[in-house]
Each structure stands twice: as C-alpha cells, then as structure tokens.
Amino acid sequence: MLRLMLLPAALLCLQGCAREGPPAAPRATAIKQSTPSLRFLHSYPAQAAAIPGLAALLRKEGLERLAEAGQDSKVVSFPPRNGPDEVEQVWEVSADTADLLALSSTASTYQDGAAHGYFSYHTLIWGRSAGRPLKLSELFSDRSGVPMLLEALCAKLISERETRWRERGNGRPGPMACPKADETDVAPVAPRGGRIRSFLMRLTGDETPDGYAGGSYEIEAPATPALVALVKPDLRGSF
C-alpha cells in the first residue's frame, strides 16, 4: 500500500468560510511505501518543503525512485528470502543561509538475496535568487575556486587514506588521483543559523582505488578567506 505523506496537509474549506490564524508552517515531507516485497522511504526537511520549486523537484525525484524500486522488487524471488527490498533516501540540511539552501543525503538500496546493500552520497545546492539547483562551480566568480577547494580536500583525503593503511598494517598505499568536481559529492556546511564555514566531501569506497573494502570517507576543509574571496559577490554574504 502506498502512503504519500505530504505535510502540511491541505485544509479543505467551503467557499466563504473564515480562516482562523496564520497558515501552518511547512513541515518535513516523506513518501513511504511498505509491502511484503518493498520498504521505501524518501524524505526531505521543512526548509526544502517551504520552497515550492525545490519541493516539487524532490517530490518528483521521490516518486520516480519509488516507481523504479517497485519495478526492481518484482524481479526478485517471492516470497522474499531475507525480507523485502529496502530503498531509502533522507535529505538533511547542510547549510541554510539567506542565499543558499544546501541539502545532503545518503541513498541506500538493498535487494533481497544480495550479499550487502549499496549506498551513494548526494548534494543539492539551491540558489534562492536563481530559483534552481546550483553546481559547485556556480558558487564562484573565479574559475580557480573549485580547483582550490578540491586541492585542499584531496590533500586531507590522501592523508586519511595513508593513515588507514598504516593502522591496518598495509604499509603505504599506491597513488590516488584527486576526484573531479563532477565526479564527487561536495556540500557547503554551516552551523544552524550561521554562515558557511566549511565544505564536506563524501566518497564511497567504490570511488577510491581501495574499493568497497576500503570504506567510505568524509573529508572536511574550511572555507578559508582566500577561498571565500573567490565566491560570487551576491553569494558572499552566506560565508
């Protein structure tokens, strides 16, 4: 049975009736389904639900993932051997400023009978003035902004990888190329109600030379004054 929870629910009122009090504030939204063959969850926070264009985008994405998951669940054994397929993506606020709303999510999928589940990281940066998602490069007025940021993140990534290898007694790892801007997940990070202070890069093990066994990475680099100086002037107030 499909349960589509869109909060707040619309209040039905006969024509001419009086409205009592201010309209309800937007709340978190979740699209859910639970059947013997599929458990599905796609949700996003109230801050995203309050932006019509963004809410429509995330709702469309969720319904498309539900349709895809429903088709995939039909091709596995039934009744399930280990339980239903599980598909989940929960969007959370990474940064909420006057100019930008950045969301991060981990999308996870487990199919009945698989040895293990799979997951991926995602970031969505919504430009309030632009009224659309922004690429990481669109935060900067200077072309060197993204390379500078990725260089800082990559240096920390290589250091963390070397530390993991030493702790496992594997010696020194082989070379690793820095991820490209369009091949990795980088999110602006701000404390609640504050300005963006750092950027977070997240990688699954499959995105590194070490593969699944190498584990995932969460690498954070500060938004330094030199980097902020390269941010577009109309967005610099968020930093």
Side-chain angles (χ1 to χ4, degrees):
M1 178 181 67
L2 172 63
R3 295 171 57 204
L4 177 57
M5 298 173 58
L6 295 177
L7 302 175
L11 299 178
L12 300 180
C13 179
L14 296 176
Q15 185 177 5
C17 67
R19 175 182 293 177
E20 296 182 1
R27 297 182 183 179
T29 299
I31 300 171
K32 292 183 178 182
Q33 178 171 297
S34 183
T35 70
S37 61
L38 176 65
R39 273 203 295 262
F40 180 91
L41 172 64
H42 179 93
S43 68
Y44 49 93
Q47 292 92 326
I51 303 173
L54 177 55
L57 178 67
L58 293 173
R59 180 175 181 273
K60 179 176 182 289
E61 175 189 74
L63 293 175
E64 288 175 348
R65 291 199 74 212
L66 175 58
E68 181 182 353
Q71 290 297 319
D72 289 343
S73 68
K74 293 178 181 178
V75 302
V76 298
S77 61
F78 190 84
R81 292 174 297 211
N82 301 317
D85 289 359
E86 297 182 7
V87 178
E88 180 176 305
Q89 184 168 14
V90 177
W91 287 98
E92 298 178 337
V93 174
S94 174
D96 184 4
T97 72
D99 306 308
L100 303 168
L101 177 63
L103 304 177
S104 293
S105 71
T106 301
S108 60
T109 302
Y110 171 78
Q111 282 195 308
D112 177 43
H116 54 75
Y118 295 89
F119 66 97
S120 57
Y121 296 124
H122 303 270
T123 290
L124 192 157
I125 306 172
W126 186 266
R128 296 187 187 277
S129 296
R132 62 175 177 82
L134 301 178
K135 297 178 181 179
L136 183 64
S137 60
E138 292 183 277
L139 301 184
F140 300 95
S141 57
D142 191 291
R143 201 179 300 178
S144 63
V146 172
M148 179 186 293
L149 173 58
L150 290 182
E151 182 179 357
L153 289 167
C154 192
K156 289 177 174 288
L157 172 62
I158 291 173
S159 176
E160 171 63 20
R161 182 169 176 252
E162 290 178 347
T163 298
R164 292 187 186 187
W165 272 62
R166 285 196 304 270
E167 290 176 348
R168 293 168 182 163
N170 295 333
R172 189 178 180 88
M176 176 180 177
C178 286
K180 297 180 181 179
D182 57 352
E183 297 176 352
T184 189
D185 178 273
V186 178
V189 178
R192 185 173 181 179
R195 296 184 177 187
I196 295 168
R197 299 302 185 202
S198 61
F199 287 86
L200 179 67
M201 177 174 68
R202 301 187 297 172
L203 297 170
T204 65
D206 291 337
E207 295 175 288
T208 73
D210 303 328
Y212 182 84
S216 60
Y217 289 85
E218 293 192 4
I219 306 297
E220 194 165 2
T224 62
L227 185 64
V228 173
L230 303 179
V231 172
K232 289 181 177 178
D234 58 323
L235 297 178
R236 208 168 291 160
S238 293
F239 291 80

